[in-house]
Amino acid sequence: MNITIVGTGYVGLVTGTTLAELGNTVYCVDIDAKKVARMKQGSVPIYEPGLEEMFLRNIQAQRLFFTTDIKEALDKSEVIYLALPTPPGEDGSADLSYVISVANQIGEMMTDYKVIVNKSTVPVGTADKVRETIAAKTKIPFDVVSNPEFLREGFAVEDSMNPARVIVGSESEKAQEVMAKIYQPFTNTGIPIIFMDEKSSELTKYAANSFLAVKITFMNEIANYCEKVGADVDKVRLGMGSDDRIGHRFLFPGIGYGGSCFPKDVKALIKSGKQEGFDFQILEATEEVNQNQKIILVSEIEKYFKGNIEGKKIALWGLAFKANTDDIREASSLDNIKILLEKGAEITAYDSIAEDNVRQVLGDQISYAKDMYSALEGADCLLIATEWSEFKNPNFELMAQKMKNKAIFDGRNMFALEQVEDKGFFYKSIGRKTLR
Ligand code: UDX
């Protein structure tokens, strides 16, 4: 099948490459001419394990093309995926201007039947808006389908080639047939495709992400309570997760969730609810708890230094919002840095993957270390903000030699307590006993 993808951001690029890998001919459209030129030459604009290989393989096989010319791509394709940004507006609601503007162009340019597939995370009712926008411009028949994307950063290729399920929101039989054909390689291997109406499909994406945000946040509250009563959240987590109605995943407490999806989607769902006069009380609480959780270790650091951290040298391990990505959007590290700097601390950070992105935002407000141990040189304490694997089993002796004062504030529970015990460190993690 011939498919156009409008928007070659994270979701668009991964979707386009995946659809080409499934045997389709894919035209990726972007307004950024420089980016299109680079992609044509085989340069992948984002880092995702396994993506470059798949991208190059499909360019070589002449199944994956890049262009700035939407009309040319439209003329060649029966199916048009929209993978456009839907950034939060000032009030938290999703800004649909990119989606609507492309819908207008499609309406003006299309010359035969098209299936327009929405991949971006969009509020309930967007499929209707896209339909109305296109219908105002043309009499030619078309269908609009909601097909939300559930991939995780760092696992984009794995998740898009092997999704837990495919959701297709459309009540048009013709569109359902087209979508079933595109995803047949998945259904052949037992991956379920679930058909539903557009609105339910649009809401499924928000509901899934918000549920996971609530799950993490619930666990963070349990962890904070564990500290009050002397329980160990690692034990509680194992005990709870063994019930398969709960499951072990997404029960890891820490300094809050971040990234480009959970914070945005929780806010957008709250906002959509309000527009209908509906209060998502559980999501409002989740947002508030998460905001406090992100900086929960700042007050612990202050307490440790008897209320004054001015001039203290703080080593920071990890800047990305989670491991295996260079993404720093809504990263807890940034909230911590902001407050620690305001309180007069000096920060030396180490994160070889996300450092460049942080430099662009913070410049030389903080220092950057070339490796995890040199970040500790002369430090009064260490704060861990991202769960990179390389931090899991450090050389504690070397750490002790480098640090001026042996204190660790671990926002991602990187170490088992037994690992740190008897090493002479003050060790504060989340939801567990503090070692002194
Ligand atoms: C998420 C969804 O998982 C994905 O399905 C959706 O399409 C996009 O949003 P992503 O943003 O890549 O994906 O990150 P994810 O791995 O889900 O982690 C989100 C945040 O939760 C991170 O900040 C992570 O550190 C935090 N987290 C996750 C926890 O604090 N504890 C956990 O147990 C799991």
Side-chain angles (χ1 to χ4, degrees):
M1 202 167 283
N2 287 355
I3 299 175
T4 286
I5 312 277
V6 189
T8 58
Y10 200 83
V11 168
L13 191 62
V14 174
T15 304
T17 310
T18 304
L19 291 171
E21 182 77 4
L22 296 181
N24 301 289
T25 302
V26 179
Y27 303 93
C28 293
V29 180
D30 206 289
I31 45 168
D32 183 341
K34 273 195 201 139
K35 192 173 169 189
V36 167
R38 280 204 305 271
M39 291 190 291
K40 275 186 174 167
Q41 284 162 6
S43 149
V44 196
I46 54 166
Y47 172 74
E48 266 300 327
L51 182 62
E52 188 169 25
E53 234 184 321
M54 198 159 100
F55 176 87
L56 292 173
R57 181 166 59 238
N58 284 287
I59 294 178
Q60 188 115 49
Q62 306 238 322
R63 285 192 299 258
L64 187 58
F65 299 93
F66 303 95
T67 178
T68 50
D69 187 344
I70 183 165
K71 170 83 176 125
E72 180 201 344
L74 277 184
D75 285 344
K76 289 180 179 154
S77 313
E78 182 179 359
V79 185
I80 326 289
Y81 278 71
L82 305 184
L84 293 153
T86 53
E90 247 168 45
D91 61 356
S93 64
D95 173 359
L96 292 180
S97 50
Y98 296 102
V99 174
I100 298 301
S101 136
V102 171
N104 265 311
Q105 291 179 51
I106 294 174
E108 281 161 10
M109 292 172 179
M110 63 189 265
T111 52
D112 54 3
Y113 174 77
K114 307 280 182 210
V115 178
I116 292 99
V117 182
N118 208 339
K119 265 273 153 203
S120 318
T121 302
V122 289
V124 178
T126 303
D128 283 345
K129 282 192 187 143
V130 170
R131 189 177 295 111
E132 283 158 22
T133 308
I134 299 176
K137 301 271 174 187
T138 185
K139 292 273 166 291
I140 300 166
F142 67 92
D143 280 306
V144 178
V145 171
S146 156
N147 175 217
E149 181 52 66
F150 296 95
L151 57 82
R152 294 163 298 165
E153 286 187 26
F155 298 88
V157 171
E158 199 180 312
D159 286 353
S160 62
M161 285 303 290
N162 190 23
R165 75 311 207 177
V166 175
I167 306 281
V168 172
S170 169
E171 283 162 314
S172 147
E173 259 178 47
K174 194 169 175 187
Q176 283 186 15
E177 268 169 34
V178 170
M179 298 310 287
K181 195 166 152 207
I182 292 177
Y183 291 119
Q184 191 164 16
F186 288 161
T187 37
N188 283 348
T189 61
I191 294 165
I193 176 163
I194 307 172
F195 291 101
M196 56 182 81
D197 59 281
E198 294 94 323
K199 289 194 171 119
S200 303
S201 167
E202 288 166 340
L203 183 54
T204 300
K205 173 63 194 266
Y206 282 104
N209 272 358
S210 299
F211 181 80
L212 292 171
V214 171
K215 191 175 181 188
I216 296 165
T217 307
F218 177 82
M219 222 39 218
N220 284 336
E221 284 219 302
I222 293 289
N224 297 344
Y225 184 63
C226 280
E227 291 183 23
K228 294 264 178 259
V229 295
D232 183 330
V233 75
D234 276 347
K235 307 281 177 341
V236 177
R237 177 171 59 76
L238 283 175
M240 284 171 67
S242 304
D243 182 334
D244 61 16
R245 290 173 303 175
I246 297 172
H248 289 289
R249 300 176 72 187
F250 278 76
L251 286 186
F252 292 88
I255 47 172
Y257 63 78
S260 65
C261 291
F262 287 177
K264 169 172 81 74
D265 293 351
V266 168
K267 276 193 190 73
L269 190 51
I270 293 173
K271 184 71 200 171
S272 299
K274 289 232 183 298
Q275 283 163 357
E276 305 295 329
F278 183 85
D279 280 334
F280 272 108
Q281 295 177 45
I282 201 165
L283 296 185
E284 281 174 14
T286 297
E287 266 226 286
E288 195 185 327
V289 173
N290 190 58
Q291 214 45 52
N292 294 332
Q293 191 71 18
K294 285 173 110 177
I295 50 168
I296 201 158
L297 287 179
V298 171
S299 46
E300 295 294 337
I301 294 174
E302 269 191 304
K303 202 156 62 182
Y304 177 84
F305 290 114
K306 312 228 161 16
N308 185 7
I309 56 171
E310 192 158 356
K312 295 290 178 207
K313 290 178 114 173
I314 299 180
L316 176 60
W317 279 2
L319 294 166
F321 87 91
K322 67 170 189 179
N324 304 317
T325 177
D326 64 353
D327 197 340
I328 55 161
R329 284 176 285 179
E330 307 267 350
S332 301
S333 65
L334 299 181
D335 298 73
N336 282 277
I337 290 171
K338 183 168 178 276
I339 303 184
L340 291 169
L341 289 179
E342 274 165 17
K343 292 183 183 286
E346 289 169 28
I347 297 173
T348 302
Y350 167 69
D351 188 322
S352 59
I353 305 290
E355 177 188 319
D356 285 351
N357 285 336
V358 171
R359 269 185 196 276
Q360 282 177 28
V361 184
L362 293 179
D364 55 10
Q365 290 183 62
I366 63 171
S367 312
Y368 305 89
K370 65 177 185 341
D371 64 66
M372 58 194 259
Y373 296 107
S374 51
L376 300 174
E377 213 82 60
D380 291 294
C381 73
L382 163 66
L383 170 62
I384 306 178
T386 313
E387 67 283 15
W388 286 105
S389 308
E390 67 178 313
F391 305 151
K392 272 185 192 154
N393 201 5
N395 180 338
F396 285 102
E397 269 171 34
L398 186 56
M399 288 173 72
Q401 278 169 29
K402 300 265 179 196
M403 294 178 79
K404 193 167 106 201
N405 177 54
K406 289 160 58 179
I408 304 173
F409 295 84
D410 181 357
R412 298 293 171 190
N413 288 6
M414 293 303 292
F415 316 127
L417 293 179
E418 305 82 73
Q419 254 179 300
V420 194
E421 241 159 24
D422 308 327
K423 303 268 186 339
F425 282 86
F426 170 92
Y427 179 61
K428 169 88 192 74
S429 53
I430 308 286
R432 306 185 298 182
K433 167 171 97 183
T434 301
L435 304 178
R436 290 166 210 279

